[in-house]
Amino acid sequence: MDEQIDPDELLAAVGFDADESVLTRRQAEVLALRENDVRQSDIGDLLGTSRANISSIERNARENVEKARQTVAFANTLTAPVRVDIEAGTDIYDIPQTVYAACDEAGVEVNYGSSNLLQLIDDSVDGAIQQDTVQVPLRIDVTNDGVVHVRERSAERRG
């Protein structure tokens, strides 16, 4: 590492508060350093541990961040006035009209055009769309302010 980066300064700059975060301080340090293009081996040297341990910390931190994102999306959708279930096997080109019709009925304006909505679905759920067909059951929620949240419907809800 050519230039010494202080993890405490990085965390202070972004306002990290361990008491308010799903991340441990060490996880936050590792993520902050990785986002500043510091190699895992250099982080290990800086923090006095092995590269393998840094790899494990980073993996766990990224999993915690994803769980937090999913939790926030779930919490936001609890009060969403629009909920649309899309079944596996649905042609993707039928989705925008289905979502727009549900939004019209609820008096909610969607913030996405058709192609952007389909891209959001594809980006939100890995493997959701293949060959213009929905591969897994989806739930699309639209909040009062038109924000769209997409998630895979869980097996227990389908069954």
Side-chain angles (χ1 to χ4, degrees):
M1 196 166 36
D2 297 334
E3 174 184 327
Q4 189 75 358
I5 296 177
D6 182 356
D8 292 329
E9 288 179 14
L10 284 175
L11 296 183
V14 296
F16 176 76
D17 181 350
D19 293 334
E20 300 293 324
S21 178
V22 298
L23 298 176
T24 66
R25 179 168 186 80
R26 182 53 56 105
Q27 288 174 336
E29 289 172 337
V30 169
L31 285 183
L33 290 165
R34 293 291 285 148
E35 291 302 316
N36 280 274
D37 297 323
V38 180
R39 295 185 334 225
Q40 288 179 341
S41 59
D42 291 335
I43 297 171
D45 292 344
L46 179 67
L47 300 179
T49 189
S50 68
R51 189 217 52 84
N53 189 39
I54 295 303
S55 177
S56 177
I57 292 169
E58 181 179 358
R59 182 181 60 255
N60 289 334
R62 293 194 187 281
E63 288 172 1
N64 286 347
V65 168
E66 183 55 30
K67 286 179 183 177
R69 282 189 182 121
Q70 293 298 323
T71 300
V72 169
F74 169 74
N76 287 337
T77 61
L78 286 175
T79 59
V82 177
R83 289 190 176 100
V84 177
D85 288 334
I86 305 294
E87 299 304 326
T90 300
D91 185 299
I92 62 167
Y93 298 107
D94 294 337
I95 296 173
Q97 187 55 40
T98 302
V99 172
Y100 298 149
C103 287
D104 287 346
E105 187 175 312
V108 173
E109 185 175 328
V110 180
N111 296 334
Y112 299 88
S114 294
S115 60
N116 289 339
L117 180 60
L118 293 175
Q119 187 63 53
L120 176 66
I121 293 167
D122 195 38
D123 291 345
S124 296
V125 179
D126 285 340
I129 297 174
Q130 293 177 8
Q131 299 177 343
D132 296 340
T133 304
V134 176
Q135 301 299 307
V136 296
L138 300 172
R139 163 68 55 87
I140 300 174
D141 298 296
V142 185
T143 64
N144 282 315
D145 55 356
V147 176
V148 176
H149 297 279
V150 181
R151 58 192 161 98
E152 182 176 353
R153 287 197 336 259
S154 62
E156 61 271 12
R157 293 188 56 107
R158 290 192 307 256

